[in-house]
Amino acid sequence: MSKAAQQVLDSIFAFPPNRETLGGTAYLIVGNPWNILVDCPAWTPENQSFIASHGPVQWLAITHRQGIGAHISQMQQTLACQIAIQEQEAYLLPNLPVTAFQDRLSLSDDSYLLWTPGHSPGSACCYDRRSRVLFTGRHLLPNLQGQPTPLRTAKTFHWPRQIRSLEKLQTSFTSETLQFICPGANTGFLRGRRVIDHAYQAICNLQPDRLRWVEIHDG
């Protein structure tokens, strides 16, 4: 039996890790004033029913190329939603109508995508102002201690850019505007907590010269 999506905050639900996206975690933001999917959940009957039960989806926001599921075409057609993706990775969806952006794209009055390259050329984070949550995709992931960090791997596109993107987040938010991080993988390292709390302080504690080569464990 498939696992069900889990509520992580009042208006945010996390889907089970998706094998099609290498164990990635997708999220649903509800009532903003419409719903937003962050990356692709597994396109199972259970997930389809869950999404439908929460009302229409206006946007499917892709945070990085690995967030694209194999059934994204069926997903877009069924939900009749718009797909938002950073312009450097829009070519990966040649037969789908997409909204490509350069640095920032507003999804609603309370949500936007912010380009944070490094993990991949078009890596982006999605911010929800109402919940003070940053969805970091694979730009920042929990380490073994459950703290957010950029993880340098053999597939990292450009490590210095990823560090500059971290610094961009440190200057773009404050402790008042950023409270939680919902990561796009490594959610098992949160040990049931589902979100990373005190998020702004956690990313400000990161010192680029101490970040090193580590291995991503998906799921």
Side-chain angles (χ1 to χ4, degrees):
M1 180 179 295
S2 299
K3 293 182 180 179
Q6 299 292 318
Q7 187 171 16
V8 297
L9 293 169
D10 286 346
S11 59
I12 296 170
F13 296 85
F15 293 93
N18 183 1
R19 292 181 181 179
E20 292 180 354
T21 59
L22 303 180
T25 298
Y27 296 89
L28 179 68
I29 310 171
V30 300
N32 198 22
W34 44 71
N35 299 342
I36 299 171
L37 269 176
V38 181
D39 292 327
C40 292
W43 200 230
T44 62
E46 292 81 6
N47 284 345
Q48 292 180 48
S49 177
F50 180 84
I51 293 168
S53 71
H54 285 81
V57 173
Q58 178 74 15
W59 289 99
L60 168 55
I62 301 298
T63 63
H64 62 296
R65 60 179 57 190
Q66 290 172 325
I68 300 172
H71 296 86
I72 189 170
S73 179
Q74 297 95 310
M75 192 178 303
Q76 189 274 330
Q77 292 176 15
T78 300
L79 300 175
C81 63
Q82 302 178 68
I83 299 174
I85 189 169
Q86 208 279 334
E87 61 184 10
Q88 294 189 66
E89 297 185 356
Y91 76 93
L92 295 168
L93 301 172
N95 300 316
L96 290 176
V98 301
T99 299
F101 70 98
Q102 183 176 27
D103 185 66
R104 178 168 165 160
L105 176 68
S106 176
L107 304 176
S108 74
D109 290 342
D110 291 310
S111 299
Y112 62 83
L113 280 167
L114 182 67
W115 183 38
T116 50
H119 168 72
S120 69
S123 179
C125 292
C126 181
Y127 176 65
D128 181 61
R129 184 178 292 107
R130 293 179 312 155
S131 301
R132 295 187 291 169
V133 173
L134 190 68
F135 301 86
T136 56
R138 280 182 162 88
H139 171 51
L140 297 178
L141 293 175
N143 59 17
L144 288 169
Q145 292 72 44
Q147 293 300 304
T149 186
L151 300 182
R152 186 177 181 182
T153 74
K155 294 183 178 180
T156 297
F157 164 66
H158 199 288
W159 183 243
R161 288 190 187 181
Q162 192 163 357
I163 295 303
R164 290 197 294 271
S165 292
L166 166 63
E167 294 168 343
K168 181 179 182 178
L169 295 180
Q170 291 171 337
T171 58
S172 296
F173 298 99
T174 67
S175 58
E176 287 74 33
T177 60
L178 179 58
Q179 183 175 353
F180 303 105
I181 283 176
C182 286
N186 280 27
T187 52
F189 289 162
L190 298 181
R191 295 172 175 82
R193 288 186 291 132
R194 292 291 181 181
V195 299
I196 299 172
D197 202 351
H198 307 293
Y200 181 72
Q201 186 60 52
I203 64 172
C204 285
N205 288 341
L206 293 171
Q207 300 180 35
D209 59 339
R210 295 187 178 182
L211 299 174
R212 59 186 179 83
W213 189 285
V214 294
E215 181 182 357
I216 290 180
H217 298 273
D218 292 326

